[in-house]
Amino acid sequence: MSGARGTQKWHDIELAAERRHIEFLYGRLDAERAAVNSEMTGVLARSSTETTEDLWQREVATGTLSARLGRLRVADSGLCFGRLDRTGGDLTYIGRIGLFDEDDDYRPLLTDWRAPVARPFYTATAANPEGVTRRRHFRTRDRRVLDFHDDVLDHGVAAGDEALLAALNAPRADTMGDIVATIQSEQDEIIRLGHTGVVVIDGGPGTGKTVVALHRVAYLLYAHRERMSRRGVLIIGPNTGFLRYIGDVLPSLGETDTVFATPGELHPGLETDVADPPLTRRVKGGLAMVDVLKAAVADRQELPETPIEIELDDVTVEIDAEVAARARARARATGVRHNQARPVFRDSLILDLAEQAVDRIGGDWLDTREVPELAGDLRADVRSELSRSRALSVAVNTLWPRLTPYGLLVELYGSPARLATACAGILTDDDRDSLAREAGSAWTVSDVPLLDEAVELIGPLTREDGVAERLRRAERRYARGVLDILDTEEDPDGEVLRAVDLIDSELLAERQEERDHRTLAERAAADREWTYGHVVVDEAQELSEMDWRVVMRRCPSRSMTIVGDLAQRESPAGASSWGQMMEAYVPGRWTYRRLTINYRMPAEIMDVAGRVLSDPSMVVPTSVRSTGVRPWARACSPEELAEVVRAEVAAVDGEGTVAVIGPAGLDLGVPVVTPREAKGLEYDTVLIVEPAEILGGVAGEADLYVALTRATQRVGVVHTSALPSSLVPVLVPWS
């Protein structure tokens, strides 16, 4: 007893000391926050009569201070979560941010978890302690230390992963939490990879690949902030529910310049979650659609079947197929996009038609070698008249119309003739017919990369270009007005100093454009031309070849973290291998890592899920825990189904989050999500309804595997038809 009492007394003394120390760290956090707030107040209080350059510098300073305040605020909860005791007696406290003693040569008081010196907190083991004798984990709530436990690494064995198991067994919340306090060695190796190009993280359900990818973003922004933070981060997820679920992770780590989007939201102004039928989805996702769209644009660059007459004051000229063909060839030879080449087409017509008019007006009496000035004047007059001709504008609109991405696809899908022309020699008849649809149909997720590709071929929306130019003109007018007001200022020597000597209206207009008070994320999300510092793609196995073209355009630097599991692929246009997708864009320049340990599901659930996969190449991850609770199955009649499901949901009410997963269209009196909607999410309890119907769907095996791997504690199956044979031997009958 005395030994136990002594151990408890030592623990209590240590706990009290740690509480005092972490209270001291919070005091330093509050002092730093107050100092930044004071500096911000000083910056904002500066005189409004400063020069334009001073105003710009003030805005930059305000942005920098706001970012610092944001990073200090997120540290309020769980500021310090660990301690390393090193050989020689040095102590290193590990936390969400770094704090330093400015009075003691910036001695570190708290080390940021991303710093290299903090790495042994995640990687040290009894076999390889990395100079660490003890690793201490703090259990906190808000600002209070509730308890701690130690991993002693200098006795040959570690004390176990109590912090990890406590986190795994804790009830799930509505949003994903960070794992900064419980990162495991194989995860930490990926998070800290020095490679800043494309990293593919492959892993089965529950391996933590999503949260590893998010922590990798936080690490990269810490290690390469100057280069990456200016452009922000784009995170692409499978559905809006998933993005809501992970949305708090990066802000909790102090990173807020992030845009979240589904594949159906990657074209600004369009949001859709409508899926095409499988065949159409496969066709639209294939690279052959690039050639189809090129052919569709070329088909809109037409030649007249009969000559088009253009009446002028003194003569009528004609645009025949030969004239139009020459103009078309000149416009295409520029290599610019369709809408940008339109003026070249028009100017070429004017040149040829002017020559035609001179020939017809002059006839035999006008010899241009003898009266070149007369011919030149006549040619100039005709060109001027043609440039104002309404008939010529109508002809240009017919032969080389202004196109929009939306209009191009609507007219392509709705016209059998245009589809036949665009798809000739590229798609089979069945594939071509799968693209046809009635005008007014909803845009689908698979249309988004096609719309984006269309912009590459035809140029930005003409309407948007017009609005942008009007805004630029307004900014220039405003800037000129400001310069007029400032034009009589004097310099310190008493000489008149004209504002235009210091800054012209164009530069001042640019400054006005820079003073956009939207956040970086808001500006990036609204701008198709924005390129990101880093891109994360989750459930990447679902992206088609056309989707990847959009993603690559958004990140020319190819700084990306790609996350996925081929066993969960649902899309017929998705990846069958990582090499198939990556080698097309970054050949030989991508890094592959695989996570093998399942942290989410106990072994009992993972054993059932693994039975669904028929492909022996799909490796099931190994679970780190077992609960002794086996998944069960309950049969009922169709008439009883809704009542049984409601009763089972009620039975686990109050025991964490619950999801009912089933095929689309079920009306059970409780919310039901499809496997596709549940992808990437996790719940304490999952009830799977009608697994045979799920298995019989287009992506049946993958969908059932997804459904079975969403639970962290319990899985139940309710069915009216026979169970799939793979589940019969591993599900416990309900009783």
Side-chain angles (χ1 to χ4, degrees):
M1 291 291 294
S2 59
R5 284 198 296 269
T7 300
Q8 184 61 48
K9 182 177 181 181
W10 172 86
H11 183 89
D12 291 344
I13 292 172
E14 285 285 296
L15 180 60
E18 297 293 21
R19 283 173 172 167
R20 288 193 298 272
H21 185 75
I22 292 179
E23 185 177 345
F24 161 74
L25 292 177
Y26 272 112
R28 296 304 297 247
L29 174 70
D30 291 339
E32 186 167 337
R33 185 184 295 165
V36 176
N37 269 318
S38 176
E39 190 174 353
M40 175 79 83
T41 301
V43 168
L44 295 175
R46 290 176 187 169
S47 171
S48 60
T49 61
E50 296 169 312
T51 67
T52 302
E53 186 68 25
D54 289 337
L55 292 172
W56 177 75
Q57 290 179 353
R58 181 174 70 175
E59 190 159 320
V60 171
T62 301
T64 301
L65 292 170
S66 296
R68 283 180 60 190
L69 277 176
R71 285 192 285 274
L72 292 171
R73 288 193 190 100
V74 301
D76 248 350
S77 180
L79 170 65
C80 176
F81 52 78
R83 190 185 90 182
L84 290 176
D85 297 10
R86 300 178 186 274
T87 304
D90 290 339
L91 303 183
T92 302
Y93 283 87
I94 311 297
R96 292 180 177 275
I97 63 171
L99 294 174
F100 302 89
D101 188 345
E102 297 180 9
D103 299 326
D104 188 9
D105 200 22
Y106 283 87
R107 177 176 60 87
L109 302 173
L110 182 66
T111 298
D112 192 300
W113 67 273
R114 293 163 287 198
V117 72
R119 184 167 187 173
F121 186 78
Y122 305 109
T123 59
T125 64
N128 181 26
E130 301 184 41
V132 175
T133 60
R134 183 192 308 271
R135 175 172 48 219
R136 176 163 290 179
H137 302 265
F138 297 118
R139 185 162 61 88
T140 63
R141 180 179 299 138
D142 298 324
R143 290 191 167 204
R144 181 169 175 77
V145 179
L146 302 179
D147 204 351
F148 72 87
H149 84 270
D150 291 339
D151 298 335
V152 180
L153 303 180
D154 61 354
H155 295 166
V157 293
D161 285 319
E162 293 181 26
L164 174 63
L165 292 175
L168 296 179
N169 287 314
R172 263 33 189 182
D174 291 333
T175 58
M176 178 183 282
D178 66 61
I179 60 167
V180 65
T182 58
I183 293 170
Q184 300 302 292
S185 180
E186 72 165 0
Q187 298 172 327
D188 184 78
E189 189 271 333
I190 297 172
I191 289 170
R192 297 175 191 267
L193 270 178
H195 182 70
T196 56
V198 175
V199 174
V200 174
I201 305 175
D202 186 9
T207 54
K209 53 189 179 296
T210 296
V211 74
V212 166
L214 296 175
H215 284 70
R216 174 166 169 74
V217 170
Y219 171 75
L220 289 173
L221 285 167
Y222 174 85
H224 307 280
R225 181 168 298 278
E226 181 62 27
R227 178 173 63 82
M228 291 183 58
S229 63
R230 292 192 302 267
R231 304 305 301 172
V233 175
L234 171 64
I235 297 180
I236 302 170
N239 53 61
T240 54
F242 171 81
L243 294 177
R244 283 194 299 270
Y245 181 62
I246 69 169
D248 289 340
V249 175
L250 280 175
S252 74
L253 298 172
E255 309 300 344
T256 56
D257 291 333
T258 305
V259 174
F260 295 89
T262 67
E265 298 171 333
L266 289 178
H267 192 76
L270 177 61
E271 297 179 9
T272 179
D273 59 1
V274 178
D276 280 304
L279 174 58
T280 307
R281 195 173 177 187
R282 177 184 62 76
V283 174
K284 288 183 178 179
L287 284 180
M289 286 303 299
V290 175
D291 292 330
V292 170
L293 291 175
K294 287 180 180 177
V297 172
D299 185 43
R300 305 306 302 274
Q301 299 164 357
E302 301 180 9
L303 303 179
E305 294 182 2
T306 59
I308 300 173
E309 293 186 344
I310 308 294
E311 293 187 10
L312 302 176
D313 289 343
D314 300 316
V315 69
T316 297
V317 292
E318 294 181 340
I319 304 174
D320 58 19
E322 183 179 354
V323 169
R326 279 198 300 271
R328 184 172 70 176
R330 290 167 184 157
R332 288 178 174 177
T334 64
V336 301
R337 295 185 280 190
H338 173 90
N339 287 343
Q340 293 170 301
R342 178 182 153 94
V344 178
F345 178 78
R346 179 177 179 273
D347 290 345
S348 181
L349 288 180
I350 290 175
L351 286 174
D352 279 7
L353 293 177
E355 293 301 322
Q356 187 182 124
V358 169
D359 289 344
R360 293 186 179 182
I361 293 172
D364 296 332
W365 63 267
L366 180 60
D367 185 338
T368 57
R369 289 172 298 180
E370 297 180 4
V371 282
E373 292 182 2
L374 179 59
D377 290 344
L378 178 58
R379 189 176 292 110
D381 289 344
V382 173
R383 288 176 184 170
S384 177
E385 187 177 354
L386 282 167
S387 68
R388 301 189 304 273
S389 169
R390 172 66 178 167
L392 180 66
S393 295
V394 171
V396 171
N397 287 337
T398 300
L399 301 176
W400 197 289
R402 286 189 179 91
L403 297 177
T404 68
Y406 298 95
L408 178 71
L409 287 189
V410 166
E411 294 176 16
L412 177 65
Y413 294 154
S415 169
R418 292 202 183 278
L419 269 177
T421 299
C423 299
I426 302 173
L427 300 181
T428 66
D429 290 349
D430 288 343
D431 287 355
R432 176 201 65 209
D433 292 344
S434 74
L435 298 176
R437 74 181 191 202
E438 295 180 1
S441 298
W443 293 107
T444 69
V445 175
S446 300
D447 287 326
V448 170
L450 304 186
L451 290 167
D452 201 76
E453 192 72 33
V455 176
E456 293 296 302
L457 297 172
I458 66 179
L461 290 174
T462 305
R463 183 178 302 169
E464 289 179 356
D465 285 349
V467 170
E469 180 55 34
R470 286 196 297 276
L471 287 173
R472 283 191 290 269
R473 285 198 299 268
E475 286 158 356
R476 285 193 290 269
R477 285 196 300 271
Y478 170 80
R480 283 194 296 271
V482 171
L483 293 175
D484 289 342
I485 294 171
L486 298 176
D487 207 29
T488 57
E489 287 188 4
E490 295 185 356
D491 71 4
D493 297 326
E495 296 182 4
V496 174
L497 186 64
R498 299 180 69 248
V500 292
D501 294 332
L502 302 177
I503 182 172
D504 63 22
S505 61
E506 289 288 340
L507 182 56
L508 186 56
E510 289 176 12
R511 292 279 171 80
Q512 287 303 117
E513 288 183 282
E514 288 172 4
R515 302 176 76 166
D516 185 338
H517 295 288
R518 294 175 298 171
T519 65
L520 182 147
E522 289 170 336
R523 285 182 282 128
D527 184 359
R528 179 193 171 272
E529 305 298 323
W530 190 277
T531 57
Y532 292 88
H534 194 77
V535 171
V536 176
V537 183
D538 208 310
E539 301 294 347
Q541 73 278 354
E542 304 298 345
L543 268 62
S544 70
E545 294 171 314
M546 292 301 296
D547 289 324
W548 281 112
R549 288 175 68 85
V550 180
V551 173
M552 294 297 169
R553 288 188 196 109
R554 300 298 187 269
C555 190
S557 68
R558 302 296 193 263
S559 179
M560 300 181 182
T561 302
I562 309 301
V563 179
D565 177 16
L566 298 178
Q568 298 184 59
R569 178 173 67 87
E570 174 259 340
S571 171
S576 57
S577 74
W578 297 118
Q580 168 206 353
M581 290 298 185
M582 294 300 105
E583 285 298 316
Y585 301 102
V586 283
R589 296 185 291 116
W590 56 286
T591 298
Y592 174 86
R593 290 292 186 274
R594 179 168 179 80
L595 293 169
T596 60
I597 300 173
N598 168 22
Y599 300 101
R600 179 199 301 151
M601 288 152 292
E604 292 82 359
I605 295 176
M606 201 65 241
D607 179 53
V608 173
R611 302 297 183 96
V612 171
L613 299 177
S614 60
D615 185 345
S617 68
M618 300 299 178
V619 180
V620 175
T622 302
S623 296
V624 299
R625 65 191 174 108
S626 176
T627 62
V629 179
R630 292 179 60 188
W632 52 264
R634 178 177 180 179
C636 65
S637 68
E639 294 76 20
E640 298 172 316
L641 182 62
E643 182 180 349
V644 167
V645 170
R646 289 196 298 270
E648 293 295 345
V649 170
V652 293
D653 185 35
E655 297 185 36
T657 56
V658 183
V660 178
I661 303 177
L666 284 180
D667 183 7
L668 303 175
V670 294
V672 179
V673 296
T674 65
R676 182 184 177 199
E677 293 166 335
K679 187 165 285 188
L681 305 179
E682 59 181 34
Y683 310 89
D684 294 289
T685 300
V686 167
L687 289 175
I688 299 172
V689 182
E690 304 292 27
E693 192 173 336
I694 294 175
L695 190 60
V698 174
E701 192 174 285
D703 278 351
L704 186 53
Y705 184 63
V706 168
L708 285 164
T709 54
R710 299 305 96 199
T712 65
Q713 304 294 340
R714 298 167 291 274
V715 167
V717 174
V718 181
H719 59 104
T720 63
S721 55
L723 285 173
S725 59
S726 58
L727 298 183
V728 172
V730 289
L731 292 177
V732 177
W734 180 85
S735 60

